[in-house]
């Protein structure tokens, strides 16, 4: 969307009060994110009373969820648009400039995006490969606001990655709500009865794009994570040994009520298989505490799974009821006090296990892709290892940005590392 606005002649402003167009790209996974939108909108809506030419836009999941009711709540809004209309922003704004108040939330087939995306980094880039979600997790609002799964064709994905390689990007992250479900909606099947297009096949297909040094993907769903995919990741040298596979709960009954489609035993087998092929792989995940009806024992099963697996990173959240989801209206909601207590206990364990996992890096030489300057220490640069550990070391960002640098790790923390660059010995001439 930023790329479209720039193509229309707009320039970025650091001060929203100086902007002619203000666009809020919104999330509705948690209630606090949604409430922030209304807070920001309130301030700008008042400004519009004295500056009627100000254009206010709400895009993303809150827009899709609320639709026309957003206009009733904030009548100063000019445009409300769901996620699937992002590449139509120019046409929709033109309707606004012609004097219309526009709501674009109807379901559409996502056409191939021909815009040039504006990316915050010149080193790493995100590449969408599948939009939407067909899952029906009882806590999640995503399927209702992002639509059904729509996979891009392998040819379109590769073309975008080839362009990124020509532009100097070194790392791409393939994105999807459930990325390992990629290709289920595309036509064709193999003689073995497998979908013709899968994430595994896509990794093989894009692996040799010139200029791209690293490939990541997120977010994986345990329901679709296969040994074939794991084997491909082990075989393909550009694919980073980092896997983000949410488990959400360590208790089978809670997982069943969440409609996640797997058990904690299956999840453990996936992690065991990853570590069989790639013993040093970095594993991260998401977990929810305080799901309706979750008992203390069920929560402790989540603690046990966290303890046993030892995640490099675990994103945690207390359950938040979301509009239109089945779990939001169940009568066995837990108190905020219980949810807060469980979240604190889980986070304490996460920090301990992450610190333990970091110890394996001490003294090792890691390859770090330099992304930017350390904002807290301008004498340092920062980047990530293949295992996704943020790493700092002394260096000149003007010389090192976008470079893969060998770094000896001298200091470890739970979620980051510090090291010193190591000169690579040049081969002797004979």
């Amino acid at each position: 969307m930023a790329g479209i606005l720039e193509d229309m002649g707009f320039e970025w402003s650091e001060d929203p009060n100086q902007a002619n167009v203000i666009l809020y790209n919104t999330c509705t996974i948690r209630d606090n994110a949604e409430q922030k939108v209304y807070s920001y909108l309130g301030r700008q809506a008042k400004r519009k009373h004295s500056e009627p030419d100000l254009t206010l836009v709400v895009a993303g999941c809150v827009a899709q969820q609320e639709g026309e009711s957003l206009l009733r709540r904030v009548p100063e809004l000019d445009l409300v648009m769901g996620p699937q209309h992002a590449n139509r922003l120019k046409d929709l704004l033109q309707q606004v400039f012609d004097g219309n108040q526009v709501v674009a939330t109807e379901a559409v087939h996502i056409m191939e995006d021909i815009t040039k995306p504006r990316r915050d980094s010149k080193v790493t880039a995100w590449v969408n490969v599948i939009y939407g979600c067909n899952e029906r997790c009882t806590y999640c609002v995503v399927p209702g606001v992002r639509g059904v799964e729509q996979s891009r064709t392998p040819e379109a994905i590769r073309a975008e990655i080839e362009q990124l390689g020509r532009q100097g990007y070194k790392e791409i992250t393939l994105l999807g709500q459930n990325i390992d479900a990629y290709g289920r909606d595309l036509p064709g099947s193999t003689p073995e009865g497998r979908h013709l297009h899968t994430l595994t096949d896509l990794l093989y297909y894009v692996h040799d794009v010139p200029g791209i040094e690293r490939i990541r993907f997120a977010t994986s769903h345990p329901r679709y994570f296969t040994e074939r995919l794991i084997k491909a990741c082990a075989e393909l040298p550009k694919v980073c040994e980092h896997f983000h596979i949410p488990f959400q709960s360590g208790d089978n009954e809670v997982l069943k009520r969440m409609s996640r489609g797997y058990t904690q035993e299956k999840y453990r087998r996936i992690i065991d298989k990853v570590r069989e092929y790639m013993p040093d792989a970095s594993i991260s995940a998401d977990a929810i505490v305080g799901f309706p009806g979750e008992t203390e024992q069920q929560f402790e099963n989540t603690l046990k799974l966290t303890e046993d697996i030892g995640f490099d990173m675990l994103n945690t959240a207390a359950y938040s009821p979301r509009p239109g989801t089945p779990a939001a209206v169940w009568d066995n909601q837990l108190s905020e006090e219980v949810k807060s207590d469980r979240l604190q206990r889980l986070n304490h364990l996460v920090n301990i296990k992450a610190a333990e996992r970091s110890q394996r890096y001490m003294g090792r030489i890691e390859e770090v892709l330099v992304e930017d300057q350390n904002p807290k220490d301008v004498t340092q640069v920062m980047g990530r290892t293949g295992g996704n550990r943020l790493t700092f070391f002394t260096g000149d960002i003007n010389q090192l940005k976008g470079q893969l640098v060998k770094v000896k790790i001298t200091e470890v923390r739970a979620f980051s590392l510090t090291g010193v660059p190591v000169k690579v010995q040049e081969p002797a001439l004979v």
Side-chain angles (χ1 to χ4, degrees):
M1 290 187 288
I4 291 173
L5 289 168
E6 289 176 351
D7 287 344
M8 293 176 69
F10 291 98
E11 296 181 0
W12 178 265
S13 172
E14 294 293 339
D15 182 1
N17 292 317
Q18 297 298 317
N20 306 100
V21 175
I22 298 180
L23 186 151
Y24 297 97
N25 193 26
T26 61
C27 173
T28 187
I29 292 293
R30 302 185 197 175
D31 184 61
N32 62 343
E34 185 175 331
Q35 295 310 313
K36 284 182 182 178
V37 178
Y38 291 114
S39 175
Y40 294 139
L41 272 176
R43 292 194 289 270
Q44 293 302 328
K46 291 180 181 179
R47 178 185 157 207
K48 187 163 183 173
H49 293 167
S50 58
E51 300 179 41
D53 289 338
L54 172 65
T55 300
L56 295 179
V57 181
V58 174
C61 292
V62 170
Q64 185 68 30
Q65 175 182 284
E66 300 298 321
E68 291 186 12
S69 66
L70 254 176
L71 298 184
R72 291 192 289 271
R73 186 165 176 175
V74 187
E76 294 85 357
L77 271 174
D78 297 288
L79 171 59
V80 176
M81 52 180 280
Q84 64 270 37
H85 292 272
N87 62 351
R88 295 187 57 222
L89 178 59
K90 181 177 180 178
D91 293 338
L92 296 173
L93 278 177
Q94 191 57 58
Q95 294 180 44
V96 170
F97 298 152
D98 289 341
N100 299 300
Q101 194 176 39
V102 180
V103 176
T105 56
E106 71 277 10
V108 296
H109 177 72
I110 297 174
M111 302 301 292
E112 190 57 45
D113 192 350
I114 59 172
T115 63
K116 294 181 180 179
R118 174 184 181 272
R119 303 179 193 270
D120 291 334
S121 169
K122 295 297 183 183
V123 179
T124 65
W126 292 346
V127 177
N128 280 306
V129 304
I130 178 172
Y131 300 95
C133 179
N134 287 2
E135 303 302 305
R136 287 294 181 266
C137 302
T138 56
Y139 56 83
C140 186
V141 72
V142 166
V145 295
R146 296 195 71 87
V148 298
E149 290 173 358
Q150 295 185 47
S151 300
R152 297 175 66 194
T153 65
E155 293 77 16
I157 295 166
R158 183 179 172 101
E160 181 176 350
I161 297 172
E162 287 176 343
Q163 182 182 27
L164 291 169
R166 290 191 294 269
Q167 292 173 344
Y169 288 89
K170 297 298 179 66
E171 176 182 299
I172 58 162
T173 300
L174 306 178
L175 288 181
Q177 189 69 34
N178 294 321
I179 192 163
D180 41 358
Y182 172 79
R184 292 196 304 168
D185 58 313
L186 295 177
S189 59
T190 67
E192 299 81 18
R194 202 174 58 239
H195 288 290
L196 184 61
H197 301 288
T198 67
L199 177 60
T200 303
D201 298 300
L202 182 65
L203 289 174
Y204 282 112
Y205 182 61
V206 304
H207 186 266
D208 64 347
V209 170
I212 300 301
E213 302 287 344
R214 285 180 172 179
I215 300 173
R216 303 183 189 272
F217 59 88
T219 295
S220 303
H221 194 298
R223 189 198 293 265
Y224 309 108
F225 209 89
T226 65
E227 183 173 358
R228 182 170 175 262
L229 174 59
I230 296 169
K231 185 178 180 182
C233 294
E235 289 178 352
L236 296 171
K238 289 185 182 180
V239 177
C240 295
E241 293 187 354
H242 168 237
F243 302 91
H244 185 74
I245 316 173
F247 66 90
Q248 306 300 9
S249 174
D251 182 82
N252 287 344
E253 178 57 34
V254 173
L255 288 171
K256 184 177 179 180
R257 287 188 281 115
M258 287 179 168
S259 295
R260 289 291 289 171
Y262 56 87
T263 63
Q264 61 93 8
E265 289 86 0
K266 178 179 179 180
Y267 186 87
R268 289 173 184 267
R269 288 195 297 270
I270 291 171
I271 304 304
D272 288 343
K273 189 60 67 173
V274 168
R275 287 176 171 163
E276 176 186 327
Y277 281 91
M278 292 160 282
D280 197 46
S282 175
I283 310 291
S284 60
D286 301 336
I288 297 170
V289 302
F291 188 72
E294 180 188 65
T295 66
E296 175 62 24
Q297 181 58 58
Q298 289 171 334
F299 168 68
E300 289 180 5
N301 288 341
T302 292
L303 291 179
K304 178 169 174 50
L305 187 144
T306 303
E307 172 76 37
D308 292 348
I309 289 179
F311 293 96
D312 293 82
M313 168 74 81
L314 182 60
N315 301 318
T316 63
Y319 169 74
S320 177
R322 306 308 299 126
T325 60
V329 296
W330 293 348
D331 59 8
N332 53 353
Q333 306 290 326
L334 303 187
S335 69
E336 293 302 318
E337 290 76 16
V338 168
K339 290 191 284 188
S340 176
D341 173 69
R342 291 179 181 175
L343 186 61
Q344 290 180 34
R345 288 156 61 193
L346 179 57
N347 284 340
H348 178 69
L349 178 60
V350 168
N351 288 333
I352 292 174
K353 301 307 293 185
E356 290 177 359
R357 291 285 291 165
S358 270
Q359 291 301 317
R360 73 190 193 276
Y361 291 110
M362 179 61 85
R364 283 188 0 188
I365 295 176
E366 289 287 321
E367 193 170 59
V368 176
L369 177 61
V370 179
E371 298 178 25
D372 216 331
Q373 191 174 60
N374 181 355
K376 297 181 180 179
D377 184 347
V378 295
T379 68
Q380 290 185 331
V381 296
M382 62 182 188
R384 293 184 182 273
T385 68
N388 208 40
R389 268 290 192 275
L390 187 62
T391 305
F392 304 93
F393 63 93
T394 301
D396 183 350
I397 188 61
N398 295 316
Q399 295 181 3
L400 296 176
K401 190 168 187 175
Q403 300 299 309
L404 285 164
V405 180
K406 300 288 186 181
V407 178
K408 184 174 182 179
I409 305 304
T410 58
E411 185 180 345
V412 300
R413 294 169 294 277
F415 304 110
S416 65
L417 311 169
T418 298
V420 295
V422 177
K423 289 186 178 179
V424 179
Q425 186 75 34
E426 293 290 338
L429 296 176
V430 294

